[in-house]
Amino acid sequence: MKKNDVILQTVTNVVAFMIILFSLQVFFSGHYHPGGGFIGGLMTSGAIVLLLLAYDIKTVASIIPIDYKILIGIGLFFAVGTGAGSLFFNVPFLTHAFNHFDLPLLGETSLHTAVLFDTGVYLVVIGVTMTIIQTIGESE
Amino acid sequence: MTEIIKVFVGIFVGLGAFLCMVTALGIIRLPDVYTRNHAASKGSTLGIMFILIGAFLFFYVKEGHYNSRLLLGIVFIFITSPVAGHLISRAAYHTGVPLWKKSVLDELKDKEKHEKHGLDRSNGEGK
């Protein structure tokens, strides 16, 4: 019988954007509220898994043309790089710093190098989750 | 002013909890998958939305905290929960879960038979 997934696919198109936005919000508010890189990454990969459920693996790979194994590498590079960056300023490994910057549109914002470390965690979590799920899904 | 809102919060949360209880009763008492799914996907959706509205009003009035996550949660549940019910029902139907004995009409069954015959005749008259 022909498959008919119109309802699931239409709802997925709407809901995936909501999940990704919420995961980004959780990721960026991690310093002051519950959240952070780990849960944000899991939620983003949850949105991609929802896309995988509604469409097939090839379609999703053409929508999001990312090799997730490379994403793991980039994430680890971010994490190690922010740690090693502190060595240039004669402070111990993984020492973080913050400062206030006057950004356009956002006004005065405090930017912290821990966010870069968190970005590493975020990318690694997305990469690992999606690699696991795609590897399991493809081996039939 | 806040007293009126407090009454509304009480009504919303109480009604939501009541609807969730009705849902649970429906899941226990109804006879087959489809009727149970009907109770579960409708009743609990509205119940949870009422509870979330109550929580949103409470924090907005009491602490002046506009929690947009609760609003997003309401919209999200309103969108996704009926679709989940639909998918569960459809999966149950296609794996051949029987309808309740006293069911009268199964139009989907007739339609599928019709389609199959149409295919067997190789682009026959049956739409």
Side-chain angles (χ1 to χ4, degrees):
Chain A
M1 206 188 85
K2 215 173 80 179
K3 246 171 72 178
N4 182 4
D5 280 342
V6 181
I7 297 179
L8 178 62
Q9 289 178 350
T10 313
V11 167
T12 300
N13 292 345
V14 179
V15 160
F17 282 106
M18 287 166 69
I19 299 175
I20 288 177
L21 269 182
F22 187 54
S23 74
L24 285 179
Q25 195 264 337
V26 164
F27 169 68
F28 280 114
S29 69
H31 200 72
Y32 297 104
H33 299 285
F38 184 74
I39 190 169
L42 273 184
M43 219 181 281
T44 307
S45 50
I48 302 174
V49 169
L50 182 62
L51 285 175
L52 281 176
L53 282 177
Y55 302 92
D56 52 354
I57 283 185
K58 277 177 191 162
T59 318
V60 177
S62 68
I63 298 170
I64 312 171
I66 299 174
D67 188 355
Y68 293 102
K69 290 187 278 300
I70 295 176
L71 210 62
I72 301 175
I74 296 173
L76 285 175
F77 179 76
F78 260 93
V80 176
T82 47
S86 62
L87 293 177
F88 289 113
F89 300 97
N90 268 336
V91 282
F93 187 66
L94 277 177
T95 307
H96 287 287
F98 74 99
N99 207 346
H100 293 275
F101 293 97
D102 215 8
L103 295 177
L105 285 179
L106 292 175
E108 191 174 328
T109 320
S110 75
L111 295 181
H112 203 295
T113 52
V115 177
L116 292 175
F117 185 80
D118 227 15
T119 311
V121 176
Y122 180 75
L123 294 178
V124 169
V125 169
I126 293 180
V128 169
T129 318
M130 293 317 296
T131 309
I132 292 171
I133 288 170
Q134 282 194 338
T135 318
I136 294 172
E138 273 171 354
S139 65
E140 284 184 7
Chain B
M1 184 65 188
T2 50
E3 293 301 320
I4 296 173
I5 296 289
K6 267 182 198 166
V7 172
F8 270 108
V9 169
I11 289 174
F12 273 127
V13 174
L15 206 59
F18 174 73
L19 279 172
C20 288
M21 194 191 71
V22 170
T23 303
L25 279 179
I27 292 173
I28 295 171
R29 295 208 29 108
L30 287 173
D32 70 343
V33 179
Y34 308 102
T35 44
R36 278 179 190 161
N37 199 352
H38 160 80
S41 57
K42 273 185 180 168
S44 64
T45 307
L46 192 62
I48 290 169
M49 279 165 66
F50 269 150
I51 292 175
L52 287 181
I53 289 173
F56 173 79
L57 276 180
F58 179 78
F59 285 109
Y60 185 57
V61 172
K62 196 181 177 220
E63 299 178 9
H65 177 55
Y66 184 85
N67 196 340
S68 52
R69 293 179 185 202
L70 283 176
L71 294 182
L72 189 71
I74 291 169
V75 174
F76 192 83
I77 286 189
F78 184 62
I79 293 176
T80 52
S81 169
V83 178
H86 158 77
L87 288 173
I88 292 171
S89 276
R90 210 175 68 152
Y93 190 87
H94 286 309
T95 47
V97 177
L99 272 68
W100 186 31
K101 278 182 238 110
K102 290 181 189 170
S103 308
V104 187
L105 191 62
D106 189 0
E107 284 187 330
L108 189 54
K109 193 177 168 190
D110 299 341
K111 186 169 175 292
E112 276 176 8
K113 260 187 195 165
H114 201 66
E115 274 179 358
K116 212 174 271 174
H117 281 298
L119 283 179
D120 285 344
R121 277 182 224 145
S122 66
N123 60 51
E125 319 85 53
K127 289 175 201 170

